[in-house]
């Protein structure tokens, strides 16, 4: 097998003038865009990302050529001695204020008459909420390998979306999709960091193996992965809200800017998700929402534990808490009056089809965290405090949000998703799905569902290896779709087998297909379509204390209560929520990425040490046995940041609106007092 | 240069370049894929091995530095009774691992139990932070190490009685 190393652009913006390789030893060769047999691009949600930048480069570190050879150490030296000459242009790095040529996606939604509503509002509250980039810190750096397998090209990589890899490789090689076989490897925890980027590396590995006529692998170093692969997009959300005399939400004007970096491969979807979550879990009759996905000359930015809704939930929930606090009201009470109810109109005009379990969730949270007493007590201390040494600097925050049922909102690249199941003569069930490469917990959910329907032991249910030659396309493993969509498909396939089980001879095979629903349509400020049929709902409480002299925030406790429909494996679901909460807390406290910072930033990046985590309590609202299984994985990222910033604002008696909260910001707000 | 040392209980020797890291050396010369060569700066803990009984990140150890010493990787450690206790304890506590952090966590748990047979939750979490991973449910980890410590204590007690 030969190794492949990447020659990268030294400049953030410009055009490549020349690439001068050192004298390559025998057995080594360079690969340029002209060597690509098919199309030099991968396509993701309509956006194209070049496999090797040909003329223009759009970010520092963009791949411009490959060098292939047997010795990875020598390859490193050869790449280091390769000279890439570029005609440099001024990079576009600004994104909170941007020019029109930077806009790669735009969404505008208007409901009612927001101007009139603002003019008669009793009070208007405005603020800007920003959240920073976050590194996925998945377990293993990205990589791919490729080799001929008789009449096919086989590709191995850890991917959330095997069929996207297959189609991308076929496009790059100029062959039919059936001539490519993708064999996903262990994925680990990815937090949506392995959604589309593995397709790019798979294309590079496949091209190298075709050009060199040998099996080839490309494996990024952890440093390369940190510096040049997608991170969570940064966002800035300007929220202006008008309240009526009774404190009811009467008007909102929201402007979202999301920095999607170069090319914006997920821009359409991220922006749609963010805009549709802009009103949070609240009803508002008059709205104006503008959303912009802004391209900059930084590596492509994108998803992180969801595709954009967390940006909007953070801003809305933090703003709601601030408005209620300014009116001298407990945010829990304000939310109770303004939360969506069954039949409430969503942004698209569709009525909400289910009850919102806000009161049930709040009651659980209040009972477990003592939220109401603590909130009232900390408010009293905050108002009477004369300096930072005067009493404990404590705060508590509450946030409430939902997670939709996993549909893509910007239109889907595929028409349908399929799962197949076969019950054999030994009464063993085998499930065939391309989504099987994900975390082990979801496979237990499928096993549990299948075993219950067919009346067999869970260990008689096996999941087929997700080789694209063997399994049907079940879509990308994101937005908790493996639970919200694939689990339903497993359920339907098993029901179909059970129906025929005592009528037809074994083995029995059934396929179930999920038709992609009508996508959301955006036309002249009007939005139509159904953002979700059903949703999981969650509330989170965060309590923290500021150390009075170092001003370090110390979380004292996190309480999460979820209505996630039928919970098939409660232990695993709770563990998933606790680890999500730990990650979300780390993102609030210490995790920060500056895409323009020095390469040394990589060495400073760290996750929150386990010993610094507070107790994390997870509680579920018990649903009926007939309730659907819902995705809940994003909920900690949707709720915890807003609860954290509200708690911090109360503790510090200072309005924070940006995450992560750096020590400099805290000292700026509190240090002089 | 030729480096001779004890690897997982066997005397071995292999040629190494002066710049080789122990993590790469173990993978390339001995095909031991347990220690991963990931961050290469001692951050990620994916390459933890026991070097003369001490838990060290193999990516920060030059290959030549193990000459005459004893190295135990997860492949060798998985043959021990300590491993069985910890794996059993983790399983009974429902510790979910993404598959990448499992090996270093098990080795870290062993190092901890060697030092503190009845560790406190904070000590457990401090030790487990040597292999940071987003898959971590801290509560399950603590339960898992406590369960492992009980299994280990029971085994040692039985052995002492024999």
């Amino acid at each position: 097998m030969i190794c492949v190393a990447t020659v990268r652009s030294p400049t953030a913006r410009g055009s490549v003038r020349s690439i001068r390789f050192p004298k390559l030893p025998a057995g080594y060769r360079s690969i340029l865009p002209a060597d690509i047999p098919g199309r030099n691009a991968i396509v993701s949600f309509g956006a194209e990302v070049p496999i090797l930048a040909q003329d223009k480069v759009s970010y520092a570190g963009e791949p411009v050529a490959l060098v292939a050879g047997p010795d990875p150490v020598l390859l490193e030296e050869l790449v280091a001695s390769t000279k890439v000459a570029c005609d440099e242009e001024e990079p576009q790095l600004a994104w909170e204020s941007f020019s029109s040529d930077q806009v790669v996606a735009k969404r505008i939604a208007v409901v009612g008459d927001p101007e009139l509503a603002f003019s008669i509002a009793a009070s208007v509250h405005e603020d800007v909420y920003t959240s920073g980039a976050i590194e996925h810190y998945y377990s293993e750096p990205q990589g791919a390998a490729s080799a001929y397998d008789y009449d096919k090209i086989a590709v191995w990589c850890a991917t959330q979306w095997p069929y996207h890899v297959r189609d991308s490789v076929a496009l790059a090689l100029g062959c039919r999709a059936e001539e490519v076989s993708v064999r996903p490897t262990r994925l680990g925890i990815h937090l949506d960091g392995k959604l589309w980027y593995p397709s790019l590396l798979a294309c590079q590995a496949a091209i190298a193996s075709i050009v060199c006529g040998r099996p080839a692998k490309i494996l990024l170093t952890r440093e390369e992965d940190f510096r040049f692969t997608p991170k969570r997009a940064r966002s800035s959300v300007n929220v202006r809200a008008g309240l009526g005399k009774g404190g009811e939400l009467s008007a909102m004007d929201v402007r979202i800017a999301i920095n999607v970096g170069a090319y914006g491969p997920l821009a359409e979807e991220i922006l749609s998700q963010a805009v549709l979550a802009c009103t949070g879990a609240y009803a508002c009759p008059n709205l104006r929402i503008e959303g912009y996905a802004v391209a900059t000359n930084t590596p492509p930015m994108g998803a992180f534990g969801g595709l954009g809704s967390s940006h909007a939930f953070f801003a809305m929930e933090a703003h709601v808490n601030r408005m209620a606090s300014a009116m001298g009201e407990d945010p829990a009470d304000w939310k109770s009056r303004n939360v969506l109810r069954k039949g409430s109109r969503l942004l698209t005009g569709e009525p909400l089809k289910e009850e919102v379990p806000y009161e049930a969730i709040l009651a659980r949270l209040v009972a477990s965290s003592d939220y109401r007493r603590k909130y009232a007590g900390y408010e009293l201390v905050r108002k009477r405090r004369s300096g930072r040494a005067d009493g404990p600097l404590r705060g508590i925050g509450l946030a409430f949000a939902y997670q939709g049922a996993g549909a893509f909102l910007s239109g889907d690249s595929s028409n349908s998703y399929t799962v197949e199941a076969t019950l054999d003569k030994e009464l063993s069930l085998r499930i065939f799905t391309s989504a099987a490469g994900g975390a082990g917990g979801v496979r237990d959910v499928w096993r549990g569902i299948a075993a219950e329907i067919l009346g067999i032991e869970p260990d008689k249910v096996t999941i087929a290896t997700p080789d694209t030659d063997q399994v049907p396309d079940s879509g990308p493993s994101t937005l908790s779709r493996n639970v919200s969509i694939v689990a339903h498909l497993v359920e339907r396939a098993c029901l179909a087998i059970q129906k025929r089980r005592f009528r037809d001879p074994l083995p029995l095979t059934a396929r179930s297909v999920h038709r992609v629903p009508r996508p959301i349509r955006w036309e002249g400020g009007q939005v139509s379509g159904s953002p979700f049929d059903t949703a999981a709902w969650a509330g989170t409480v965060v309590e923290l204390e500021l150390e009075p002299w170092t001003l370090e925030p110390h979380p004292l406790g996190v309480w999460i209560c979820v209505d996630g429909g039928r919970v098939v494996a409660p232990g695993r679901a709770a563990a998933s929520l606790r680890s999500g909460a730990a990650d979300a807390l780390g993102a609030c406290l210490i995790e920060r990425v500056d895409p323009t910072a020095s390469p040394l930033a990589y060495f400073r990046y760290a996750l929150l040490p386990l010993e610094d985590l507070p107790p994390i309590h997870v509680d579920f609202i018990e649903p009926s046995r007939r309730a659907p299984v819902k995705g809940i994985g994003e909920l900690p990222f949707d709720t915890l940041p807003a609860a954290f910033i509200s708690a911090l604002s109360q503790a510090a008696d200072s309005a924070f609106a940006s995450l992560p909260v750096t020590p400099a910001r805290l000292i700026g707000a509190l240090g002089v007092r | 240069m030729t480096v001779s040392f004890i690897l997982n209980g066997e005397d071995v020797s292999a040629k190494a370049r002066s710049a080789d890291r122990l993590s790469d050396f173990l993978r390339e010369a001995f095909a031991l894929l347990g220690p991963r060569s990931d961050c290469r700066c001692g951050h990620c803990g994916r390459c933890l091995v026991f070097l003369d009984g001490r838990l060290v990140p193999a990516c920060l150890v030059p290959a030549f530095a193990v000459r005459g010493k004893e190295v135990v990787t997860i492949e060798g450690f998985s043959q021990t009774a300590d491993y069985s206790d910890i794996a059993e304890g983790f399983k009974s506590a429902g510790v979910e691992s993404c598959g990448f952090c499992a090996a270093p966590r098990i080795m870290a748990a062993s190092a901890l139990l060697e030092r503190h047979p009845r560790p406190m939750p904070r000590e457990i979490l401090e030790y487990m932070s040597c292999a940071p991973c987003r898959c971590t449910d801290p509560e399950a980890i603590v339960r898992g190490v406590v369960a492992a410590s009980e299994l280990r204590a029971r085994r040692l007690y039985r052995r002492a009685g024999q």
Side-chain angles (χ1 to χ4, degrees):
Chain A
M1 174 161 307
I2 54 164
C3 299
V4 182
T6 313
V7 178
R8 298 181 181 278
S9 154
T11 57
R13 189 180 180 203
S15 44
V16 180
R17 205 170 50 232
S18 67
I19 302 174
R20 216 170 60 235
F21 295 95
K23 187 172 170 13
L24 298 178
Y28 290 77
R29 71 156 292 171
S30 60
I31 298 167
L32 292 164
D35 296 316
I36 297 175
R39 193 161 151 203
N40 181 13
I42 65 160
V43 182
S44 170
F45 289 93
E48 291 196 3
V49 182
I51 297 166
L52 295 174
Q54 189 154 19
D55 301 319
K56 291 179 71 176
V57 288
S58 299
Y59 63 94
E62 185 171 6
V64 293
L66 304 171
V67 183
D71 183 359
V73 178
L74 182 55
L75 273 180
E76 236 174 84
E77 287 169 19
L78 292 172
V79 165
S81 349
T82 301
K83 303 279 180 232
V84 180
C86 290
D87 291 325
E88 205 169 335
E89 294 171 39
E90 186 65 30
Q92 290 178 312
L93 298 173
W95 61 277
E96 286 176 88
S97 55
F98 49 87
S99 61
S100 57
D101 65 321
Q102 285 178 267
V103 176
V104 289
K106 182 179 175 181
R107 298 279 185 266
I108 292 181
V110 182
V111 176
D113 188 345
E115 291 313 313
L116 178 66
F118 272 114
S119 66
I120 58 174
S123 62
V124 174
H125 305 258
E126 184 171 3
D127 220 324
V128 182
Y129 298 85
T130 58
S131 45
I134 306 171
E135 157 71 8
H136 293 92
Y137 211 96
Y138 24 66
S139 304
E140 194 174 54
Q142 307 239 22
S146 173
Y148 274 114
D149 186 6
Y150 296 101
D151 56 344
K152 291 194 172 206
I153 186 95
V155 175
W156 292 264
C157 63
T159 173
Q160 292 172 252
W161 201 352
Y163 272 79
H164 187 260
V165 174
R166 187 190 75 155
D167 296 344
S168 301
V169 171
L171 194 68
L173 299 184
C175 64
R176 288 183 297 119
E178 293 74 32
E179 291 173 305
V180 179
S181 171
V182 178
R183 295 155 193 187
T185 56
R186 191 188 283 267
L187 190 52
I189 296 291
H190 49 73
L191 291 175
D192 290 333
K194 294 187 174 177
L195 195 53
W196 66 271
Y197 199 83
S199 301
L200 184 78
L201 295 180
C203 288
Q204 292 176 347
I207 290 161
S209 92
I210 293 280
V211 168
C212 301
R214 293 173 66 184
K217 74 169 179 186
I218 182 165
L219 182 62
L220 302 189
T221 63
R222 181 60 85 171
E223 187 185 342
E224 272 183 300
D225 196 303
F226 182 84
R227 292 175 60 198
F228 307 125
T229 64
K231 307 282 169 277
R232 181 198 198 229
R234 290 187 286 172
S235 70
S236 162
V237 186
N238 186 321
V239 188
R240 183 168 160 247
L243 301 180
K245 282 180 186 160
E248 73 280 4
L249 187 61
S250 60
M252 280 182 71
D253 187 356
V254 183
R255 180 185 175 277
I256 307 174
I258 297 179
N259 177 2
V260 291
Y263 304 111
L266 295 171
E268 296 274 345
E269 185 59 32
I270 287 176
L271 194 60
S272 297
Q273 297 269 359
V275 167
L276 285 167
C278 253
T279 55
Y282 308 103
C284 182
N286 303 290
L287 290 164
R288 179 177 169 80
I289 301 173
E290 281 179 37
Y292 299 94
V294 183
T296 54
N297 294 115
T298 56
M301 299 280 169
F304 184 93
L307 286 170
S309 52
S310 58
H311 299 278
F313 282 127
F314 163 61
M316 185 61 190
E317 281 298 298
H319 197 64
V320 159
N321 289 347
R322 186 168 299 174
M323 286 193 301
S325 182
M327 292 186 301
E329 188 177 8
D330 183 339
D333 294 331
W334 188 95
K335 290 174 192 198
S336 186
R337 282 186 285 112
N338 286 279
V339 77
L340 289 164
R341 290 184 167 75
K342 188 175 182 180
S344 296
R345 294 278 161 193
L346 300 172
L347 181 62
T348 57
E350 299 241 336
L352 184 64
K353 292 172 186 160
E354 60 184 23
E355 291 290 353
V356 177
Y358 175 77
E359 297 300 341
I361 286 174
L362 180 65
R364 290 282 185 93
L365 287 174
V366 166
S368 57
S369 69
D370 198 11
Y371 168 80
R372 284 196 185 278
R373 189 186 63 81
K374 285 177 180 170
Y375 179 82
Y378 296 159
E379 271 297 280
L380 209 61
V381 172
R382 180 180 71 82
K383 285 173 185 165
R384 290 182 180 172
R385 192 184 297 139
S386 55
R388 66 179 173 180
D390 182 16
L393 301 173
R394 286 192 178 188
I396 192 164
L398 165 75
F400 185 70
Y402 62 83
Q403 179 180 341
F408 282 143
L409 303 176
S410 59
D412 216 322
S413 54
S414 304
N415 294 321
S416 61
Y417 299 128
T418 308
V419 167
E420 195 175 291
T422 299
L423 185 68
D424 64 20
K425 287 178 182 171
E426 283 76 41
L427 292 184
S428 294
L429 184 82
R430 195 157 177 78
I431 297 171
F432 298 86
T433 165
S434 67
V442 79
R443 290 196 290 271
D444 281 355
V445 171
W446 301 338
R447 280 195 196 99
I449 290 172
E452 192 181 325
I453 292 171
L454 297 171
I456 58 177
E457 290 297 317
D459 59 8
K460 298 281 266 180
V461 182
T462 54
I463 316 289
T465 311
D467 180 337
T468 53
D469 281 352
Q470 314 286 333
V471 297
D473 183 3
S474 308
S477 301
T478 181
L479 299 172
S480 302
R481 296 161 68 99
N482 287 352
V483 172
S484 59
I485 292 177
V486 178
H488 284 291
L489 293 178
V490 169
E491 187 172 13
R492 276 169 39 200
C494 291
L495 286 170
I497 288 175
Q498 182 67 0
K499 208 171 167 183
R500 292 162 46 203
R501 187 167 164 189
F502 300 107
R503 213 172 50 202
D504 299 336
L506 295 173
L508 285 171
T509 295
R511 282 171 85 91
S512 54
V513 180
H514 171 79
R515 302 275 172 213
V516 174
R518 190 165 52 100
I520 301 289
R521 298 183 73 84
W522 308 80
E523 284 167 330
Q526 300 299 309
V527 196
S528 61
S530 178
F532 56 86
D533 289 330
T534 181
W537 303 83
T540 294
V541 169
V542 174
E543 184 187 10
L544 59 78
E545 180 173 32
L546 282 173
E547 206 286 323
W549 298 110
T550 64
L551 300 179
E552 275 181 284
H554 292 295
L556 300 173
V558 173
W559 294 263
I560 303 174
C561 181
V562 172
D563 181 348
R566 180 159 48 106
V567 183
V568 178
R572 283 179 185 262
S576 157
L577 288 169
R578 276 195 293 268
S579 63
D583 292 334
L585 204 53
C588 294
L589 283 165
I590 62 167
E591 289 186 50
R592 61 186 70 94
V593 179
D594 180 357
T596 58
S598 85
L600 293 177
Y602 154 67
F603 294 100
R604 292 194 290 268
Y605 199 89
L607 303 186
L608 191 63
L610 291 174
E611 65 270 23
D612 289 352
L613 286 170
I616 300 169
H617 308 266
V618 174
D619 200 2
F620 292 101
I621 302 282
E622 295 85 12
S624 70
R625 275 178 65 80
R626 296 183 63 191
V629 181
K630 298 175 184 176
I632 56 173
E634 288 172 40
L635 289 168
F637 300 100
D638 290 342
T639 53
L640 193 143
F644 175 87
I645 205 106
S646 300
L648 187 70
S649 299
Q650 188 182 39
D653 191 16
S654 182
F656 291 101
S658 293
L659 285 177
V661 181
T662 58
R665 278 186 199 150
L666 275 167
I667 290 166
L670 276 162
V672 292
R673 274 188 240 159
Chain B
M1 79 193 81
T2 300
V3 182
S4 301
F5 62 109
I6 303 169
L7 175 60
N8 294 332
E10 286 180 21
D11 289 317
V12 295
S13 57
K15 282 202 181 327
R17 289 167 293 198
S18 56
D20 276 353
R21 297 158 191 265
L22 179 59
S23 53
D24 295 331
F25 182 52
L26 292 171
R27 290 177 77 87
E28 286 162 18
F30 301 99
L32 292 172
L33 304 182
R36 293 167 185 277
S37 204
D38 192 343
C39 72
R40 293 168 167 254
C41 62
H43 269 180
C44 73
R46 301 296 187 266
C47 60
L48 289 177
V49 296
F50 288 112
L51 178 60
D52 280 349
R54 284 183 57 218
L55 197 61
V56 295
C59 68
L60 296 186
V61 178
F64 63 78
V66 302
R67 180 177 291 166
K69 296 189 174 176
E70 180 174 14
V71 175
V72 178
T73 66
I74 188 67
E75 287 87 350
F77 185 66
S78 63
Q79 307 302 317
T80 63
D82 271 354
Y83 174 89
S84 306
D85 294 337
I86 297 166
E88 185 59 37
F90 277 19
K91 192 178 168 190
S92 67
V95 176
E96 278 292 320
S97 159
C98 65
F100 295 93
C101 60
R105 289 255 161 93
I106 285 175
M107 296 177 83
S110 169
L112 170 64
L113 295 178
E114 197 59 47
R115 202 165 165 178
H116 303 287
R118 296 272 179 191
M120 300 299 288
R122 189 172 172 83
E123 287 172 322
I124 295 172
L125 294 173
E126 272 173 17
Y127 260 74
M128 292 299 144
S129 289
C130 68
C133 186
R134 292 210 186 268
C135 73
T136 304
D137 170 14
E139 198 180 302
I141 286 268
V142 170
R143 282 201 314 264
V145 176
V146 169
S149 76
E150 282 163 9
L151 288 168
R152 182 176 180 271
R154 233 175 283 160
R155 179 175 56 80
L156 294 178
Y157 180 76
R158 273 200 307 271
R159 200 172 68 182
Q162 279 170 1

